[in-house]
Amino acid sequence: MSTQPAYQRILLKLSGEALLGDQQFGISPEVTAFLAHEIKAVVDIGVQVALVVGGGNIYRGERLARAGMDRVTGDQMGMLATVINALALQDAIERVGGMQARVQSAIRINEVCEDFIRRKADRHLEKGRVVVFAAGTGNPFFTTDSAAALRAIEIEADLMLKATTVDGIYTADPKKDPEAKRYDELTYDEALHKRLGVMDQTAMVLCRDHGMKLRVYDMDRPGALLKIVTGDMTIGTRVNR
Ligand code: GTP
């Protein structure tokens, strides 16, 4: 296998649920350690890595929203949940020898992490540090997928990756429909028109309009991230303009 990177800078989007492992709530130390090792493998070959993480393992807004909670308050709670996850990832990454990480938040929370400053993020990445972007876009009504798309575009990532628990995008939910087929490649317009639920529409339109390439892949598969960044085109589903 080639160890030459095919991409210089990537942005990896992790869902909050991905951090659950086999728990019902919170952060699995086994999962964060596994992710840190997967990330180290690509940092070691010189790839610059930025992360965006969701918050669904800590806070899910739907139930409280149904019970009448104000949407903006709920979204702010979700943003804070992503800060907790980002700190956990920073810690796990720095506990793997030879890596440094910096958390940058879209909402000001200086005592715990840096503010999001694009040029500073750029510098960290150039120095080989993993940058974890926290607190979404800093605004209610935007998902962490949209935040990931926005940050990927801002830092001029060569590839955005969406880590999920299935190995790509399917014609239907493969956990429910045995006939579901995996796409090797799709355009954003196809994904939008077929309502494939890859990401929310805001995120997909942002990626489409700015020509951001996306790969959806199974994060539980050890070595998959390294294979993708060294040019393996067979893993997951590629989404392009
Ligand atoms: P260089 O400028 O490349 O040396 O980067 P650096 O991040 O190592 O240096 P800096 O002096 O900016 O930061 C030193 C440490 O303080 C790092 O762990 C940063 O994450 C942290 N840090 C920087 N700014 C803030 C902030 O506003 N809030 C918090 N909580 N930590 C910060």
Side-chain angles (χ1 to χ4, degrees), residues 90 102 110-115 120 124 127 129:
Q90 174 179 246
R102 298 286 185 267
N110 281 143
E111 282 74 9
V112 290
C113 62
E114 300 178 19
D115 296 338
K120 199 157 163 65
H124 288 320
K127 289 179 179 173
R129 296 171 185 146

Side-chain angles (χ1 to χ4, degrees), residues 29 45 56 58 60 86 101 117 133 197 199-200 213-214 225-226 232:
I45 61 163
I58 294 169
R60 294 223 63 90
I117 299 171
F133 295 121
M199 301 195 293
D200 65 282
K213 295 191 180 92
L214 174 72
L225 183 62
L226 180 63
D232 189 324

Side-chain angles (χ1 to χ4, degrees), residues 171-185:
T171 48
D173 184 347
K175 288 178 180 155
K176 292 182 190 148
D177 182 352
E179 303 286 294
K181 297 239 172 341
R182 182 169 67 88
Y183 292 100
D184 290 330
E185 192 167 18

